[in-house]
Amino acid sequence: MRAQQAADLDTRGCRQHLKPEHLDANRRHWDERVSLHAASDFYDVKGFLDGESTLRDFETEELGPVSGRSLLHLQCHFGLDSLSWARRGARVTGLDFSRTAIRAAEDLARRSGLDSSFVHGDVLNAARILGRRFDVVYTGLGAICWIDDLERWASQINALLHPGGTFYLVEFHPFTDVFGERDLTVEASYFNGGTPLRVEETGTYADPAAETTENLSFTWTHPVSTVINRLVESGLRLDRFEEHDYTIFPRFESLTPDPGTDVHRFPVGHPKLPLMYSLRMHRERE
């Protein structure tokens, strides 16, 4: 590796800023939920093994063809989205901080027969851990709320991309975190200054009635402008930004499902709000 490439992949030393209790609690939280998620109807592993994809139409349209391209999925959980990209021809690597999730992803890759690799590691040290660049870096729904340092996160993404490479993100819209679940009253600030939200609750979004013991977690709300600005400051250039008026679970009681799908929208006549967003960026060619 050339000296400049090595410098680009430097992660500025060991990670010291995140309080150990935050990281440890979150890892225990996710370790426990991997098996629950893999067995749930929400994730529908059987459907995936039968040939279905977890990707939404707008994702494949916005990112474009991936066949033959190297694709890194950051915070890949147990690999369903990663392997959905592999099914479209990408040469996929997934990374997650949960060893339990990585083992489950490797097992799912074997069962599906899809060529891929999965690596255990912290996303904020991803460039050092992986030591290579990719044509595409992807991160999916429900990922960046677990990131405490967006500046470092963005620098990792830039370092992990080949010149001319693409970063693609799809996320739940943080504006939804402002509202209560029942009547959409304003209950929280959109701008919280990076303060973590401490959550302690049983079950999981994939199975609310599940019996769990690792129920403490910490998350962060990142305004969309902050996400974009940190990525631009890292050296990436914005190609496309979209907001979507539906989501994939009943986030609010007033949402109604589209029959036969996981799409949930506000009913006809109800004012629409952004429920998800997506963006595509690129690293400029050297």
Side-chain angles (χ1 to χ4, degrees):
M1 183 181 291
R2 293 178 300 175
Q4 182 57 52
Q5 287 178 319
D8 286 345
L9 293 172
D10 181 22
T11 59
R12 297 179 296 172
C14 297
R15 185 177 179 195
Q16 300 292 338
H17 52 87
L18 181 60
K19 291 182 179 180
E21 60 265 31
H22 293 165
L23 184 61
D24 292 344
N26 286 350
R27 183 180 288 113
R28 291 193 301 269
H29 177 91
W30 281 103
D31 281 347
E32 183 181 33
R33 282 154 179 78
V34 170
S35 61
L36 296 172
H37 289 181
S40 69
D41 292 338
F42 183 92
Y43 279 96
D44 188 17
V45 168
K46 182 182 182 302
F48 173 79
L49 292 172
D50 287 341
E52 295 178 7
S53 172
T54 60
L55 304 173
R56 277 82 208 170
D57 289 344
F58 73 82
E59 292 183 83
T60 57
E61 187 273 326
E62 290 174 2
L63 179 54
V66 296
S67 182
R69 304 179 76 189
S70 59
L71 184 149
L72 170 63
H73 182 186
L74 297 175
Q75 297 169 268
C76 67
H77 197 25
F78 69 100
L80 272 181
D81 287 352
S82 314
L83 293 169
S84 291
W85 289 115
R87 186 166 278 162
R88 298 184 68 84
R91 294 181 285 111
V92 167
T93 299
L95 179 126
D96 199 272
F97 78 152
S98 165
R99 289 188 186 276
T100 306
I102 291 300
R103 287 193 292 267
E106 291 171 337
D107 177 67
L108 185 59
R110 286 191 294 269
R111 294 165 64 192
S112 66
L114 293 167
D115 187 24
S116 56
S117 62
F118 292 93
V119 179
H120 171 253
D122 187 338
V123 63
L124 296 190
N125 289 322
R128 176 180 58 79
I129 291 166
L130 295 166
R132 54 173 291 210
R133 291 177 176 174
F134 298 83
D135 299 321
V136 178
V137 174
Y138 166 79
T139 184
L141 292 166
I144 62 172
C145 65
W146 304 96
I147 302 296
D148 67 311
D149 185 343
L150 281 191
E151 181 179 1
R152 186 182 178 103
W153 170 80
S155 73
Q156 297 296 297
I157 292 165
N158 184 54
L160 287 160
L161 283 171
H162 285 302
T166 300
F167 173 60
Y168 182 68
L169 174 150
V170 56
E171 260 298 354
F172 298 118
H173 205 295
F175 189 53
T176 62
D177 295 337
V178 170
F179 302 102
E181 295 182 5
R182 293 183 178 276
D183 56 3
L184 294 178
T185 55
V186 175
E187 295 186 356
S189 175
Y190 185 66
F191 304 99
N192 67 0
T195 302
L197 174 65
R198 177 189 174 103
V199 179
E200 192 159 7
E201 59 185 13
T202 60
T204 170
Y205 57 84
D207 185 359
E211 295 184 4
T212 54
T213 58
E214 298 296 341
N215 298 319
L216 175 64
S217 64
F218 297 88
T219 63
W220 288 260
T221 296
H222 301 297
V224 176
S225 58
T226 303
V227 175
I228 294 174
N229 285 335
R230 296 299 87 79
L231 289 163
V232 168
E233 290 162 4
S234 80
L236 300 186
R237 296 294 174 262
L238 181 65
D239 299 315
R240 180 170 183 169
F241 169 67
E242 301 287 349
E243 294 174 294
H244 307 276
D245 66 355
Y246 68 92
T247 188
I248 64 167
F249 70 108
R251 173 66 178 82
F252 303 113
E253 289 187 356
S254 52
L255 295 177
T256 58
D258 286 357
T261 74
D262 64 357
V263 170
H264 289 72
R265 307 176 187 272
F266 288 110
V268 175
H270 190 288
K272 294 182 179 180
L273 297 174
L275 300 177
M276 297 190 297
Y277 74 98
S278 53
L279 59 87
R280 190 184 71 218
M281 307 183 77
H282 72 275
R283 176 173 176 165
E284 291 188 320
R285 298 185 182 276
E286 296 174 348

